[in-house]
Amino acid sequence: MRALILTAPGTPEVVDLPDPHAGPGQLRIKIAGAGINPADLHILDGGQTGLGLGLDIAGVVDEVGPGVHGFAPGARVAAFQFPHASHMTAGAAAEYVVVPADAAAVVPDGVTLVDAATVPTNALTAVQLLGPLGPGAGRRLLVTGAAGAVGGYGVALAAHAGWAVTGLARATDREFLTRAGADRGITELAEASEVDAVFDTALFNGAALAPLRDNGWYVGIFPGQEPPAERGITVTVGVVRADGAALAELLDLTARGVLEARTAGTVGLDEADSAYAKLRAGGSRGRWVITP
C-alpha cells in the first residue's frame, strides 16, 4: 500500500509499505479521508523521521481483529490516532490503517467520510479540555482563536453545554461564530469583559488571564506554554487522547448540525505538500483532507 511517511525532517514522502492487518482488538480501515491539522505541522517540524503522517481517520472497516465487537466489515468509521513511533508505520495518510477498536466510532448517516475526517483531533481536544470546567449555566467563556481548528469546536460545544460564549476571531468570522452559538464576537483581547473561564486556543498565554475573574479557569492547548497561576485561577492544559465513545457523540452532534464540519478541500497523497503549505500560511477555515 501507499502511505505518507516523514522520511526527513519536514519532508513527507509517499512510500510503498506492506499492507497492515488487524490484530486482537483492532480494526483495519480502508481510508477515504485523512484530515490535516495544525498538530501535523508540529510533527513535520519535530525532527523525527520514519513517522506515518495523519491523525484523523475516516473510512470503511475491511478487516476485524479477534475480540472486536460492535464493528463489521463495511462499517463507515472515524478515529483518532497519535503518530506512529514505529519506523515506517503508516498513519492516517495511507491507503489502509490499523487502529484499536475502542478508538473508532461509526459515522452516522448524513455525514460524509470526507467531512468525518475533519472531526476527531480538534473536536476531541475541545471536549476533553472543556469538560473539567463543569456546567456552563450562568457562566461566561472566552474562546480565543474562536474560528480556528480547535476554537471553533470549543465555541459550539460550550454553547451547547449552556455557556454564554464570547469568541475572539477576525471580523470576517462573525457569521461563523453566530452559527456556532457565540452570543458575542470580538476582534481584540482588550475588548473582552470579565469572564469565568478562557479557552486559549490562540496561545495568548499570560495575556489571556487579564479578562478572567479571580478563581476562574484558564484552559490551554499547548503543554509547556501555559501561564503561571495567579489570583486563585486554575490553569489547566492537556493532550488529546483517543476515545471512540466520545467521538461517537461528537459525530452525532455533527449529523444533527450542532457541530459544523468545515472542509477546505481535498488532495491526493501525492499533493499533500500543497495542503500542508496552505495550512502553514495561516488563515484557513476548515480542514484539508487527504484522499488516498
Side-chain angles (χ1 to χ4, degrees):
M1 72 166 186
R2 301 170 78 236
L4 197 62
I5 301 291
L6 191 57
T7 56
T11 306
E13 182 181 358
V14 178
V15 302
D16 289 318
L17 298 176
D19 289 352
H21 292 283
Q26 295 179 327
L27 305 173
R28 186 175 76 174
I29 301 169
K30 182 174 175 57
I31 299 296
I36 294 177
N37 298 288
D40 292 296
L41 300 184
H42 294 291
I43 296 167
L44 283 169
D45 298 339
Q48 188 173 352
T49 61
L51 292 179
L53 293 172
L55 309 180
D56 281 352
I57 297 160
V60 176
V61 174
D62 82 333
E63 190 175 274
V64 177
V68 173
H69 304 284
F71 296 96
R76 299 188 326 134
V77 297
F80 163 79
Q81 65 166 10
F82 284 107
H84 285 286
S86 300
H87 185 65
M88 303 294 277
T89 302
E95 292 177 324
Y96 295 92
V97 68
V98 170
V99 300
D102 60 7
V106 172
V107 176
D109 293 341
V111 179
T112 70
L113 288 176
V114 168
D115 281 346
T118 70
V119 174
T121 298
N122 299 306
L124 282 170
T125 298
V127 77
Q128 289 170 5
L129 293 181
L130 290 175
L133 300 184
R139 303 164 75 196
R140 177 164 291 277
L141 173 72
L142 168 64
V143 180
T144 70
V150 176
Y153 283 112
V155 170
L157 289 166
H160 184 64
W163 288 85
V165 179
T166 297
L168 193 162
R170 298 176 181 179
T172 51
D173 292 316
R174 192 63 53 82
E175 184 178 339
F176 166 75
L177 294 181
T178 300
R179 290 198 309 271
D183 66 348
R184 186 181 179 213
I186 59 175
T187 59
E188 301 288 342
L189 189 59
E191 299 174 42
S193 54
E194 186 176 74
V195 296
D196 299 283
V198 172
F199 188 30
D200 186 26
T201 75
L203 302 179
F204 281 98
N205 302 320
L209 300 181
L212 261 176
R213 65 168 177 80
D214 292 351
N215 304 308
W217 284 75
Y218 171 94
V219 180
I221 64 168
F222 206 112
Q225 293 192 17
E226 66 274 18
E230 61 179 56
R231 299 186 284 115
I233 291 168
T234 300
V235 174
T236 65
V237 66
V239 176
V240 63
R241 64 186 184 278
D243 185 335
L247 179 57
E249 294 178 5
L250 293 165
L251 290 166
D252 178 66
L253 291 174
T254 305
R256 290 161 50 194
V258 175
L259 302 180
E260 183 174 329
R262 295 186 290 165
T263 302
T266 61
V267 295
L269 279 172
D270 296 302
E271 293 81 41
D273 271 350
S274 65
Y276 291 126
K278 289 183 175 70
L279 178 59
R280 195 182 295 278
S284 294
R285 294 295 179 257
R287 304 271 60 80
W288 286 89
V289 177
I290 297 171
T291 54

